[in-house]
Amino acid sequence: MAAAPAPPAEDPASIAARTLWIGDLPPTADEDWLASLFEGEGGGGGATEEGAPPALEAKVVRSRSSGGCAGYGFVSFPSPAFAADVLGRYAGAPMPGGWGGVFRLNWASGG
């Protein structure tokens, strides 16, 4: 049997159109924590309403010298509309967890 063909690669512009940059992350931030901020009800604070699709990918940028969080990351969502909704509702809102940070969000530049 022949192997199934690989799915087509996603256009980088399409990825950027649904990806947000997030800044002012705490030093202890990791990908699981970042993704949990955008999960539905029961996912650790939930930045999205119940039943909403979760973030597809969360990436925390790490410091080369310490290996810890460099203070920012990226979150990709299922669609540009979903990302725009998250950006509109959560930019400047307090982050859960009591560490005192706020959601500092913007569109990822894609390049």
Side-chain angles (χ1 to χ4, degrees):
M1 283 178 102
E10 190 171 7
D11 175 20
S14 171
I15 296 169
R18 60 183 179 78
T19 301
L20 299 178
W21 171 91
I22 182 166
D24 293 342
L25 297 177
T28 56
D30 64 15
E31 283 76 9
D32 290 337
W33 178 82
L34 182 55
S36 77
L37 296 176
F38 299 98
E39 290 177 355
E41 197 64 31
T48 62
E49 60 274 1
E50 186 172 352
L56 290 180
E57 181 180 351
K59 174 68 178 157
V60 170
V61 177
R62 304 210 175 275
S63 165
R64 289 183 184 181
S65 60
S66 71
C69 176
Y72 68 100
F74 300 91
V75 183
S76 297
F77 294 94
S79 70
F82 192 87
D85 182 54
V86 168
L87 178 63
R89 290 187 296 133
Y90 290 94
M95 283 189 189
W99 71 278
V102 297
F103 283 96
R104 187 166 167 222
L105 299 166
N106 208 337
W107 291 105
S109 67

